[in-house]
Amino acid sequence: MTTQPIIEARQLNKTYSIDDRRIQVLQDVSLGIRAGEFAVIQGSSGSGKSTLLSLLSGLDRPDSGTVRIQGQDITKLSEDDLAPLRNRTFGFVFQSFHLVPSLSALENIMFPAELNHNPNAADEAGKLLERVGLAARGPNMPHQLSGGEQQRVAICRALINRPAIIFADEPTGNLDSRSGQAILELLLEFQREYHTTLLMVTHNPAIAQSADSRFQLADGRLAPPVAN
Ligand SMILES: Nc1ncnc2c1ncn2[C@@H]1O[C@H](COP(=O)(O)OP(=O)(O)OP(=O)(O)O)[C@@H](O)[C@H]1O
Ligand SMILES: [Mg+2]
């Protein structure tokens, strides 16, 4: 296989300073993920999984090292150049949903499409809602929805611009096992259908087993990838 990875990290280092203490959270982390893959990041709490995801997705910058997305080093991009990448190339799903509380379910899903000047935002958001079984819930506000329903809305929002990559940080972490399983199946269904690359942080060994590749973080370092 010689295809260039869609996500390629080289020698990432990240430290946080608290008072006068410096914590090295990531040390010389390198990885490659191919387009269309389902990859997972595993590791104990505090091992740096969310930090790594935020570096790979341009939400934060490394102290040193490079992150190439579709060949482009995003660590050098300005905030203005990162914004469209985050909106169009990436979709995000977080453990705590992160819906905008003052917008309805439908409006939350439409939001990234409107930023992208898509005139069919409402139509496409409605179709996605229907697809995840929430057709009647469009006008509802997030607080009127269950956790599993909020996460389905968040997935629709992540998908509406047909991103090349979905970053999911413990997307089932706040859900019971049944809704968690449903969310996982939904993400994998869309990943296959849209040929999206899915990079997921998970503590769930069964989910990790089903991935195309696994990355294990321990003490800020990455073990060699495990092919399933
Ligand atoms: N903004 C920050 N400032 C200082 N320290 C931070 C910051 N963000 C994270 N850390 C520290 O970096 C380390 C890694 O945090 P991170 O959130 O990446 O871990 P994680 O593997 O995602 O953990 P969890 O499984 O609990 O979500 C932790 O020790 C954390 O306390
Ligand atoms: Mg985390």
Side-chain angles (χ1 to χ4, degrees):
M1 268 283 260
T2 52
T3 46
Q4 191 189 22
I6 189 167
I7 304 172
E8 188 173 35
R10 290 249 174 97
Q11 299 284 309
L12 293 180
N13 285 281
K14 182 73 181 175
T15 51
Y16 288 115
S17 300
I18 302 172
D19 301 325
D20 51 0
R21 284 197 316 130
R22 286 168 72 81
I23 311 171
Q24 178 130 26
V25 181
L26 296 176
Q27 206 174 337
D28 292 333
V29 169
S30 300
L31 58 76
I33 295 167
R34 294 185 306 272
E37 234 188 325
F38 168 36
V40 301
I41 301 174
Q42 293 175 279
S44 55
S45 181
S47 62
K49 304 180 298 296
S50 297
T51 303
L52 178 57
L53 213 65
S54 61
L55 299 184
L56 298 177
S57 59
L59 295 176
D60 199 0
R61 289 177 205 272
D63 300 334
S64 63
T66 56
V67 176
R68 288 185 194 284
I69 300 292
Q70 296 168 332
Q72 181 184 35
D73 183 2
I74 66 165
T75 62
K76 306 285 186 295
L77 293 181
S78 67
E79 276 304 305
D80 282 353
D81 289 331
L82 276 170
L85 193 78
R86 289 195 205 113
N87 183 43
R88 285 179 220 148
T89 309
F90 301 156
F92 293 92
V93 182
F94 298 98
Q95 179 172 359
S96 48
F97 324 132
H98 289 199
L99 296 175
V100 180
S102 58
L103 297 180
S104 71
L106 191 82
E107 288 164 345
N108 263 284
I109 300 170
M110 287 168 62
F111 191 63
E114 286 182 323
L115 277 181
N116 205 14
H117 310 292
N118 179 346
N120 302 317
D123 214 39
E124 288 172 22
K127 285 198 182 113
L128 279 166
L129 261 180
E130 198 177 322
R131 174 77 191 270
V132 302
L134 294 175
R137 305 298 239 145
N140 285 136
M141 304 307 280
H143 76 270
Q144 298 172 315
L145 302 173
S146 73
E149 288 168 347
Q150 289 185 58
Q151 196 62 304
R152 280 188 266 166
V153 171
I155 288 173
C156 293
R157 178 180 60 180
L159 285 164
I160 194 162
N161 287 339
R162 302 287 177 114
I165 304 166
I166 292 184
F167 293 99
D169 195 348
E170 298 191 50
T172 65
N174 277 351
L175 304 173
D176 63 56
S177 61
R178 202 160 139 254
S179 2
Q181 188 59 33
I183 288 298
L184 179 71
E185 280 164 16
L186 201 57
L187 277 168
L188 291 175
E189 203 178 292
F190 281 121
Q191 179 241 344
R192 284 189 292 262
E193 188 177 320
Y194 294 177
H195 307 290
T196 310
T197 307
L198 176 60
L199 179 55
M200 186 186 293
V201 171
T202 182
H203 283 292
N204 185 324
I207 296 177
Q209 276 298 328
S210 68
D212 299 313
S213 54
R214 291 188 268 164
F215 299 95
Q216 181 82 40
L217 269 177
D219 299 328
R221 287 182 175 274
L222 211 55
V226 185
N228 281 337

